[in-house]
Structure formats: C-alpha cells, structure tokens
Amino acid sequence: METFEIEIVINNRLGLHARPATKFAQLASTFESAIWLKKGREMVDGKSILEVLTLACPKGSSLTVVAQGPDAREAVEALKELVEKQFGEFD
Amino acid sequence: MGEAKVIKGIGASPGIAIGPAFLLDRNQQKVMKYHLSEHEIEAEKIRFREAVDRAEEDLRQLIAELPEELHEHTGILESHLLMLRDSMVFDRTLRFIESERINAEWALNRSLDEIKLLFSRVKDQYLRERAEDVKYVVKRIHDILSGNHITNFNNLDEPVVLVARDLSPADTVQINQENILAFVTDMGSRTSHTAILARSLGIPAVVGLEDITARVLSSSKIIVDGISGLVILDPTPEQVRQYQAKKEDYHKYRLDIVYNSHLPAESMDGFRVKVKANMELIEELPSVIANGAEGVGLLRTEFLYLRQKKLPSEEELFSAYKEVAERLAPYPVTIRTLDIGGDKFVSSVSLGEELNPVLGLRAVRLCLSEPELFKTQIRAILRASVYGEVNVLIPLVSGVLEILQVKEFIETTKAELREEGVEFDPNIKVGIMIEVPSAVMVADLLAKEVDFFSIGTNDLIQYTLAIDRVNEAVAHLYEPLHPGVLRMVKKTVEAAHASGIEVAMCGEMAGEPMYVPILLGLGLDELSMNPIDIPRIKRMIRSIKHQDCIELVASLLDESTAVEIRETLMAFLYRHFPDDYDLPLGRYGDGQGRWGQQ
C-alpha cells in the first residue's frame, strides 16, 4: 500500500475554520485512500469534518497530510493545492 | 410560587379548561433510552441509517431551494451535510448501538457527548462554538428518529392542556382527544386548522399567543378560557374558583341550548333555513346528531388520507362514506372530494414544493391531474349513494371548463360501475364550492351546470381580499364583513336562484351567530357549520324576522367600509338582542354573544 506525505501551512486569516475544514473534508472524502491530518503528535481523520475542526489549526499552523491507498499521491497533491489556494477564499 | 399571569390570545374554540400544562416542545424532547435484545440490533441500525438518509435528503433539498439572498449560507449547510456522515456521528453511533445494545437515540446522544467534550477542549472560541452546529445536525436526526412524536403522549395518565408552537393537521388527528382538556398555541387564528378541529371536537382552544411555549412549564397549572381568548398561568386559588364557576355556567348554557336544538331553524316570520353540520371524523357523528343538524353539509375527506402513510383504498373510503350515509339517513350528506394542497398536505400524495401552494396544484386541479386518485374517490362516493342521500361537492372550481371535465369524469365512472353491475344513485347531485372569485363572476354560467352551490367563505375571503389567513402579520385584515365579500355572496345567491338551484354556505362565517341576520337577509338556503355551533345558530334564526334581515342587508350594502357595516350590524343586534350583544361594553367583534365577556 503506497503512503504519501506532504507538508502544508495554513495561511487563511481565520485558520482551518468551518468553511475551509468543510472543503478539506469534502475533497478528502472523494478519494479512496485513507487520509490523515497531522499536527505535532496529534493525527486525525482527514475525511471527518469534526476531527479536522477540533484539531484547531489557526493561521500559520504547519500540518502534514498523510494518505495511504491506491490514489494516495493524487490525494495529497489535490489537498495541498486546495490549501495553497487558500480554499478559494479571499479572507 | 410564581405570580399569576394573564395572557390574551385569540379564542378559537369556546369553553373553559383548568389543568396541568403539557408542553409539546420539539426543541427539548426527552430522549427515550432503552436496551435492545440481540435480534433487534440490526433493525435499529437500519432505522438509524434511514433517519440519516432522510436528514441528508432534507438538507440537500434545503440547500437546493435556498433563495438567492441566502446563498452565502450554503457553506454552513454543506458542513452540516458532512457532519451527518462524519465518522464521529455516523459510524460511532452505529458502533454504540451494536456494542452497548442501546437504541439509536441513546447511541446518538452518546456520540454527541463525546463530540461536545472534544470541542470543549478547543481554545479558539469560534471553533468551540461549532459544537452548536453538531447539536443542530444531531437534532435533525433525532427529530426524524422520533418521527411521530405525538404517539408518545397518547399514553398520558391524566388529561392535560396541550401547549405547542403550532399543531399540524397531521398532529391533531393523531391526538387522543380524551386526554386533551384544551389546545393552546403560539401560532394560528380563528380559522387555522387547530381552531377548526378544536371547535368540531368541542375542545376549548386559545391560539395566536405568540410566545406561550416559552412561558409555560410542563405540569404547571393553567386556565384556558376559549370564550374570551385568555390563558392564565399559575392562577391564584381565587381565579381557579372563579373559573370553575364560569365553567359550570358555560356548561349549563350549552345544555340549555342543546335541549332546544331539535326545534326547526325557522325565523319568527316563517322563513325556513336548513342548518347542517360540517364534519371530518366519523367520531363526530354523535355530536352532529345531538346538536340537531339536518344532515351534513360538508363532509371533509382529507382525514381519511391523513391518518395513514399510504393512500386509502376504495373499500376504506366506501365503508367510511357508507357509515355516514346510513347513520344520517334520512338526512343527506354532502361529500367533498379531496381538498389537499394549499395549507393541507398528506404524506401519501407527494406534491412538488410550490412557492405559492394556496394558488397551486390543489383540490380539483390535483384530482383532475391525478385521475387514479380521483377515480377512487368518485367510485367510493357513488357506491355509498345507495345507502342514503349523498351529494358530491367539488372544491376550488374556478370556471365552467373544470366542472365540465368533472361531470364527464363522473359520467364515465358511472358507466364503469353500471358495466360492473355495481349499484349507485344515478341522480346523485353534483355541486361545487364557490370559493374562487372567478367562480363568483361566472356563477350564472356555473349554475346552469350544477345542482347546487356551497360557498366556502374561508377561501373566498382569503382569495378576494388577498389575505393569507395563517400569516399573523395580515390575519387582522381578514374581514368577512368587507363590502367586497358581501357583494360576492350576494352575486352568488342571485345567480343560483335565477337558475333555480340552492345555495349553501359552509365556511366559518356560517357558524357565527352575529352573521346570521346578514346571511338570512342575503337569502342563503342552507348554513353548514361545526356541530357545536348549531344550537346557537338555530336559536338566532328562531328569534329573528326574515323581513328585518332583508332590510338590514339592504342598508349594509350601501355602506362603504367593513367598519361601518360592523357598526350597523352591531346596532341591529343590540336592538334585537340587548342581553346578548351589549354595545356600550363593546362586547362585539368576538362573536361570542353574552359569553364574549368575562
């Protein structure tokens, strides 16, 4: 089983709040691979909006996206792009 | 003990009730908890999955129908969609059901508790508050799981005053009336569904109290005065005594009136009017007969559809209609075909969401577009017609074409029955409701096509004045005495009589004693009302002269505003019934005669 990891930094003004977290979990759910979001030693299910929200990631947080499964590479790349484009928001 | 609070609402059904409040608060429903046995676990998991499916479907629909100006909120709703399926909600609840052997509601609450705990540890206040969204989502599932929340309180061990934000027609039919002392609601008006049903069941009701659900505590004592439209919370012992007396008084008054209810409805100068009952539930038949109705002028059939999830069969409809026809004979029954859509919906007939349901696919329009639905009804009515005098009444007809279509439909159905060798009354009378202004304008043409008219004032007033009677902001403009309304009625009566057919009135207006002089003066042949109103209406008819009524109407039709019409009417009532209508005290407006004042 392939595993991919990618580093991301949250640059939205409000951090990973409701709307970005929704978009993150929504996108993550479209992949077959298991996806985790890692902050320090904490690791949560990237497809669970509640876990992503309660991970509490303010602006500037450094996170790791971990994906394991057949489409793991596509998953981490797509999620990184989402974060880099600041979730399509201008806030 | 708190201080007594008197709150004024709208008296929707007369009578006095004193008893404990039962708050039907959908936000604070108690969650049922129970353990499952091994073989129930799978079914419980399916129940939970289906509830989440339903909640998801509802949310998607909500998002799809969000008006343009609210589009910025789709984000929140989409996060709710995700939460529904979130492993912490969905998978975990399923796991709890299985591992703890507990019911779905309980398991769901366990999941919620864990999520709340997780959120409480978040430092960021904004994020911490997202726990509210989770609660909201969980509540959606709970609401669906509990589904028929009403059934729970059919097992009450003592009679209660039911306090609710609003009661839907579906709620009210499922209530076991023996346990209900009175209805009290935040929403509603005299003509809303709760009010109509309460009156027909003889249960006191006060509606339109705005925030009563926020002010009442369950099991606290409450006095409901459906006569004056008052509700008293935490009454003093003195108030309780006073209202006990009032209750007995009212009871005596009702008895007195009922003893006289079998006398004919004939004015002092010999003008005869038929007084009939409106009814919807078979259970009302004894009340129809006891109150002295000369038949049923309006049998609403929607309730046969509301009581169950699937469509009633022809046999079910037939046996209900047959029972009414047989028990009423020799008096006639007028059966109205299905009048759903508008403000009445049933779960077995799926209607598209409409922006303006009252102007939408409802009543006869719906029946003509769903021939199978219509066929079942017409067959059942025709078959019942051999068991008594049965008439068919078609609602919401707006012009001649519709009635031609309906008549053709009925003739085809008769031909089918004839072929099958099924008996029916070949001369069954077909009439229409007059409730759309266009029908009034072409009443002369319609009168040539049908056997009778029945004026439905609730809708006629609503359509004529463009007033949504359930909208609290404009409900006060709903005015039966508007000159426009009176002219509509006059035109309808004249058109009917010119063609030699009879015209009835079956709306709320017909059951209001204060309007009797006007209705007699306008020349209506029949008044049909809730059974409980019959004795008072008969008493009014018997104590008045038709000639005086004709003169009254002639002068009213010269008035240009409802205010003037009301003043002239009140002066007339005061002249003829000084005991009942006490002008100087300003008792008018509530239409409750001498019971209009404390």
Side-chain angles (χ1 to χ4, degrees):
Chain A
M1 195 77 78
E2 278 192 291
T3 305
F4 283 89
E5 281 193 23
I6 214 159
E7 300 289 320
I8 55 168
V9 178
I10 303 295
N11 274 320
N12 300 52
R13 190 168 57 85
L14 292 171
L16 207 45
H17 65 101
R19 210 170 304 206
T22 303
K23 289 196 171 163
F24 189 94
Q26 250 172 355
L27 181 61
S29 300
T30 61
F31 294 98
E32 208 180 306
S33 304
I35 291 164
W36 294 276
L37 196 56
K38 215 162 87 177
K39 177 180 149 195
R41 265 177 295 178
E42 273 183 278
M43 188 150 102
V44 300
D45 179 357
K47 294 180 181 180
S48 160
I49 179 177
L50 295 178
E51 294 195 22
V52 173
L53 275 176
T54 50
L55 190 61
C57 308
K59 183 176 172 171
S61 305
S62 288
L63 307 169
T64 310
V65 180
V66 183
Q68 188 179 60
D71 50 4
R73 182 197 291 273
E74 294 92 320
V76 291
E77 279 170 3
L79 288 166
K80 183 177 162 65
E81 191 185 320
L82 178 73
V83 174
E84 279 173 353
K85 289 193 170 157
Q86 301 200 11
F87 306 91
E89 294 197 347
F90 304 96
D91 61 354
Chain B
M1 199 173 118
E3 219 165 281
K5 286 179 281 286
V6 181
I7 306 165
K8 178 91 179 101
I10 301 164
S13 176
I16 309 281
I18 305 169
F22 183 92
L23 188 58
L24 175 60
D25 184 345
R26 287 172 192 161
N27 295 315
Q28 291 173 16
Q29 272 178 64
K30 252 187 103 179
V31 171
M32 295 225 299
K33 292 181 177 178
Y34 51 88
H35 282 278
L36 307 167
S37 54
E38 185 73 42
H39 67 276
E40 291 171 322
I41 291 175
E42 235 8 78
E44 192 67 3
K45 283 162 80 176
I46 292 171
R47 190 168 80 93
F48 177 71
R49 283 203 189 93
E50 284 178 349
V52 175
D53 286 348
R54 248 301 288 290
E56 190 169 37
E57 207 175 292
D58 290 353
L59 260 177
R60 282 194 202 286
Q61 190 161 352
L62 196 65
I63 294 172
E65 286 164 4
L66 216 55
E68 191 105 24
E69 63 270 25
L70 295 177
H71 270 171
E72 55 175 311
H73 295 285
T74 36
I76 289 292
L77 294 175
E78 286 195 340
S79 72
H80 290 177
L81 266 181
L82 279 184
M83 288 177 192
L84 276 176
R85 293 285 177 197
D86 196 290
S87 60
M88 292 173 86
V89 176
F90 190 73
D91 302 342
R92 197 166 297 183
T93 302
L94 287 172
R95 263 205 309 280
F96 278 137
I97 293 173
E98 179 146 357
S99 64
E100 312 286 310
R101 292 191 180 184
I102 54 179
N103 66 315
E105 287 91 337
W106 191 357
L108 182 57
N109 265 23
R110 289 277 299 267
S111 306
L112 178 63
D113 286 342
E114 294 197 358
I115 296 167
K116 279 195 215 158
L117 188 68
L118 207 57
F119 271 98
S120 70
R121 293 188 189 133
V122 174
K123 289 197 192 75
D124 179 309
Q125 194 199 338
Y126 168 81
L127 284 178
R128 204 165 54 230
E129 282 170 2
R130 290 315 99 213
E132 291 302 312
D133 289 286
V134 187
K135 280 189 220 163
Y136 174 79
V137 167
V138 166
K139 186 186 164 315
R140 265 185 184 276
I141 307 174
H142 267 306
D143 282 352
I144 293 165
L145 280 172
S146 60
N148 211 345
H149 47 271
I150 297 280
T151 42
N152 301 346
F153 70 44
N154 272 338
N155 315 321
L156 293 168
D157 32 359
E158 59 173 347
V160 295
V161 171
L162 185 62
V163 182
R165 175 102 189 104
D166 196 11
L167 292 167
S168 72
D171 287 342
T172 41
V173 286
Q174 286 165 40
I175 288 169
N176 178 0
Q177 39 166 306
E178 279 166 28
N179 281 328
I180 306 297
L181 295 171
F183 293 118
V184 169
T185 60
D186 287 347
M187 318 269 288
S189 65
R190 270 188 65 77
T191 47
S192 64
H193 195 87
T194 310
I196 293 172
L197 195 85
R199 278 199 293 282
S200 70
L201 294 175
I203 295 173
V206 177
V207 301
L209 285 153
E210 291 174 5
D211 63 347
I212 191 76
T213 47
R215 303 171 69 166
V216 168
L217 290 176
S218 263
S219 10
S220 61
K221 190 173 258 184
I222 179 170
I223 295 178
V224 181
D225 178 350
I227 300 158
S228 321
L230 294 179
V231 165
I232 304 175
L233 307 180
D234 303 315
T236 62
E238 176 53 30
Q239 283 169 320
V240 173
R241 263 195 304 280
Q242 189 191 332
Y243 274 89
Q244 281 290 5
K246 193 173 174 184
K247 187 177 164 186
E248 278 156 33
D249 245 15
Y250 180 73
H251 188 65
K252 273 187 219 138
Y253 166 79
R254 289 287 320 163
L255 276 182
D256 176 39
I257 243 173
V258 170
Y259 284 143
N260 299 314
S261 66
H262 289 273
L263 301 169
E266 188 176 288
S267 71
M268 288 163 78
D269 50 355
F271 182 73
R272 191 77 173 74
V273 188
K274 288 179 205 154
V275 175
K276 296 186 185 171
N278 295 346
M279 76 173 243
E280 32 205 351
L281 311 172
I282 301 267
E283 291 88 319
E284 291 174 75
L285 263 177
S287 154
V288 166
I289 294 159
N291 280 296
E294 302 164 84
V296 167
L298 172 65
L299 178 67
R300 302 186 178 99
T301 55
E302 294 73 43
F303 281 70
L304 297 162
Y305 290 76
L306 281 168
R307 280 184 166 175
Q308 50 193 26
K309 290 257 182 281
K310 60 176 180 46
L311 283 175
S313 66
E314 181 184 322
E315 285 310 310
E316 286 172 90
L317 295 181
F318 166 66
S319 80
Y321 300 161
K322 174 178 177 246
E323 184 177 348
V324 177
E326 277 179 338
R327 286 170 66 179
L328 273 177
Y331 289 126
V333 52
T334 299
I335 304 177
R336 183 175 69 185
T337 57
L338 193 58
D339 187 9
I340 56 163
D343 58 352
K344 295 188 275 302
F345 299 98
V346 304
S347 51
S348 51
V349 182
S350 70
L351 299 170
E353 288 281 327
E354 294 182 280
L355 195 56
N356 240 326
V358 175
L359 305 180
L361 185 64
R362 52 173 295 204
V364 70
R365 302 167 186 174
L366 177 72
C367 285
L368 286 172
S369 74
E370 301 277 343
E372 284 305 306
L373 184 71
F374 200 30
K375 178 75 76 182
T376 312
Q377 298 171 63
I378 298 294
R379 282 181 63 100
I381 295 171
L382 285 170
R383 286 174 58 196
S385 68
V386 288
Y387 297 92
E389 189 185 336
V390 174
N391 310 311
V392 195
L393 179 58
I394 311 294
L396 209 79
V397 170
S398 61
V400 173
L401 191 60
E402 263 167 346
I403 192 59
L404 292 178
Q405 287 174 299
V406 168
K407 279 168 66 181
E408 194 189 319
F409 195 97
I410 294 176
E411 286 312 313
T412 314
T413 312
K414 281 182 182 173
E416 282 170 21
L417 288 176
R418 224 173 264 127
E419 211 155 281
E420 294 166 29
V422 179
E423 259 190 296
F424 62 90
D425 172 7
N427 300 316
I428 190 167
K429 284 187 188 147
V430 178
I432 55 171
M433 296 277 291
I434 298 289
E435 48 191 343
V436 180
S438 63
V440 175
M441 297 313 289
V442 297
D444 53 331
L445 305 174
L446 290 167
K448 296 190 178 84
E449 300 297 336
V450 298
D451 302 312
F452 64 95
F453 283 165
S454 187
I455 303 176
T457 49
N458 300 6
D459 274 340
L460 183 62
I461 295 170
Q462 155 161 286
Y463 292 132
T464 302
L465 302 181
I467 297 295
D468 176 358
R469 61 186 194 206
V470 284
N471 180 340
E472 285 160 84
V474 291
H476 65 284
L477 297 172
Y478 181 91
E479 174 54 87
L481 294 182
H482 192 291
V485 174
L486 297 186
R487 287 175 194 210
M488 288 265 177
V489 176
K490 180 169 184 274
K491 194 170 166 63
T492 306
V493 173
E494 284 170 355
H497 289 172
S499 279
I501 65 169
E502 289 198 350
V503 53
M505 178 178 282
C506 64
E508 288 293 295
M509 196 175 174
E512 195 66 83
M514 65 183 290
Y515 298 145
V516 164
I518 299 182
L519 303 183
L520 256 53
L522 284 167
L524 285 144
D525 301 294
E526 173 185 320
L527 304 177
S528 192
M529 63 210 68
N530 290 298
I532 197 168
D533 294 326
I534 291 173
R536 289 192 309 169
I537 296 290
K538 275 197 178 177
R539 194 173 75 133
M540 185 60 126
I541 295 169
R542 291 179 57 79
S543 43
I544 211 167
K545 282 197 185 114
H546 187 219
Q547 195 50 43
D548 290 343
C549 298
I550 292 173
E551 283 161 25
L552 169 72
V553 167
S555 70
L556 290 184
L557 289 169
D558 287 337
E559 308 277 17
S560 51
T561 67
V563 176
E564 290 164 300
I565 291 176
R566 201 169 278 276
E567 273 169 12
T568 308
L569 172 63
M570 291 321 300
F572 175 91
L573 290 169
Y574 179 54
R575 259 197 327 277
H576 290 84
F577 309 97
D579 294 341
D580 285 358
Y581 293 88
D582 195 343
L583 198 56
L585 282 175
R587 286 184 186 179
Y588 57 85
D590 61 12
Q592 301 291 348
R594 69 191 172 109
W595 298 102
Q597 200 71 4
Q598 287 210 64

